[in-house]
Amino acid sequence: MPDPTQPIDPLLVTAVTGLPEVAPGDDLAALLWTALAGDLAAGDVLVVSSKVVSKARGLVERVGDGDDRDAVVVRESRRAVAARRTPRGTSRIVQAAAGPVMAAAGVDASNTAPGTVLTLPADPDAAAGALLVGLRLLGAPVVAVVVSDTAGRAWRRGQVDLALGSAGLRVVDDLRGQPDAGGQVLEVTERAVADEVASAADLVKGKASGVPAARVRGLGHLVLDPAEPSDDTDTTATALLRDPATDWFRLGHVEAVRASLGLPPDAVEPPSVLPESLRHKVDRAVDVALFGSAAARPDVLDDGAAGQVVRVTVVAGDPFAAGRLCARLQAALWAEDLDAALAHDEAAQTATLLVTPR
């Protein structure tokens, strides 16, 4: 661990240019070594886009229409997190087979031939390790390799690069138990160094520039020498993934409600990213509430208030069944960002929900 009282080394991030178009079967380590002209110093971190790793490994698939690509996304997914309908098909946020939660399981059609998509390596840490071994065999000193990929963030616009795979790098700088500049003991701070390195590298490479790799210099204190003993266990990007016990946000709010009501994924169409009518949202919520139930479908009527109120009437012949359906309806409507005021007409033996936009 570096001494916090000592000056911080400057950080130098340099694009690795001159790489040819990578094809299946290429020796990517050799191509990188040639492009670098051997200019790797001990302690450097080489950040390589997952795209060229996938290309070199032949992880290229030919697809036709959107359904073909969607089938690849489903195959490359471990579990669904959220889904929305778009003009181009269904957009899915999933936990990818490669590990992280990301859009479309990392299946990508950019920077690849038309009609093809790239999938991620099944074990990105092993892919980073193979590149590191290849570089060392070619004469590289003690360095680290990060395989990066692009992902969005749940609460912020835009995308950043993160560490999909890592080898030879302390991926977490654990500052818990150390004092901050004011003497307060840090309790939760763990810097995700590998992700920060991947994002820094993306500032000099990126999708539009055709530069798939960058060298980061100045983090030698975080690069591990395999010849020296270390008790650091956080040396792979997999170590950055939250386990289920610490993942508070495993599902989107729509998917969480549907799961709580017993619906499997894709049982009812997902919401659209485009504006939808109030009536369409209500009809979908009714489909969700009725899933797996033998209850009669309630009457759904526009209330005449310029499309801003929909009346859902449940016949309360069996009070228990009607109450259960109303409770499910209110939950399903909440997931559609709708409010539902419940009124009971004992004489008519009906329960009515007046649904309005939230």
Side-chain angles (χ1 to χ4, degrees):
M1 193 67 62
D3 184 345
T5 65
Q6 296 300 311
I8 298 174
D9 290 337
L11 196 67
L12 178 63
V13 185
T14 307
V16 178
T17 59
L19 274 169
E21 178 63 29
V22 177
D26 280 350
D27 184 340
L28 184 56
L31 293 178
L32 289 164
W33 183 249
T34 299
L36 285 159
D39 187 12
L40 275 180
D44 284 352
V45 183
L46 186 63
V47 181
V48 184
S49 168
S50 65
K51 288 186 183 300
V52 290
V53 175
S54 293
K55 288 179 179 180
R57 289 173 168 247
L59 302 177
V60 185
E61 298 200 24
R62 186 164 297 281
V63 295
D65 56 23
D67 289 340
D68 285 349
R69 181 180 176 182
D70 198 49
V72 176
V73 171
V74 171
R75 190 197 71 211
E76 294 293 315
S77 303
R78 288 184 183 171
R79 63 178 180 88
V81 175
R84 296 292 183 270
R85 293 178 1 260
T86 75
R88 297 179 61 183
T90 301
S91 181
R92 302 175 190 272
I93 306 297
V94 303
Q95 183 180 14
V101 171
M102 57 202 322
V107 176
D108 201 341
S110 64
N111 285 318
T112 186
T116 66
V117 295
L118 296 170
T119 61
L120 297 177
D123 188 341
D125 290 319
L131 277 177
L132 181 57
V133 169
L135 289 166
R136 293 300 302 274
L137 290 174
L138 290 166
V142 174
V143 296
V145 171
V146 169
V147 173
S148 67
D149 200 31
T150 304
R153 286 84 43 81
W155 300 282
R156 298 182 72 83
R157 289 178 58 190
Q159 296 80 35
V160 298
D161 263 27
L162 52 72
L164 184 70
S166 182
L169 182 71
R170 182 183 295 120
V171 300
V172 174
D173 189 9
D174 190 349
L175 301 178
R176 293 174 298 178
Q178 298 185 42
D180 65 12
Q184 300 292 322
V185 175
L186 299 170
E187 296 181 355
V188 298
T189 305
E190 296 179 277
R191 292 175 56 230
V193 173
D195 286 343
E196 292 179 331
V197 168
S199 289
D202 193 51
L203 294 174
V204 300
K205 57 183 189 69
K207 291 186 177 183
S209 63
V211 177
R215 185 193 63 213
V216 180
R217 182 165 289 171
L219 296 174
H221 59 283
L222 297 171
V223 174
L224 302 172
D225 187 340
E228 297 181 1
S230 172
D231 58 0
D232 200 316
T233 58
D234 292 334
T235 60
T236 64
T238 299
L240 294 170
L241 303 178
R242 288 194 181 275
D243 58 34
T246 60
D247 185 353
W248 296 358
F249 313 103
R250 287 179 65 77
L251 293 172
H253 78 286
V254 172
E255 291 71 23
V257 168
R258 292 185 178 189
S260 72
L261 295 177
L263 276 71
D266 299 326
V268 175
E269 68 167 22
S272 175
V273 297
L274 301 178
E276 297 179 284
S277 70
L278 176 61
R279 177 60 185 268
H280 188 85
K281 293 180 178 181
V282 172
D283 284 335
R284 183 167 56 227
V286 171
D287 290 340
V288 170
L290 286 173
F291 184 84
S293 168
R297 190 175 185 87
D299 292 328
V300 181
L301 298 172
D302 295 325
D303 205 51
Q308 292 302 299
V309 181
V310 171
R311 183 183 297 268
V312 182
T313 302
V314 177
V315 177
D318 179 344
F320 177 82
R324 181 175 185 272
L325 178 56
C326 286
R328 289 174 64 88
L329 270 168
Q330 285 184 305
L333 290 164
W334 178 89
E336 296 281 352
D337 295 321
L338 303 175
D339 285 327
L342 180 63
H344 177 229
D345 187 331
E346 187 171 350
Q349 289 192 319
T350 59
T352 300
L353 293 96
L354 294 179
V355 184
T356 56
R358 188 177 305 152

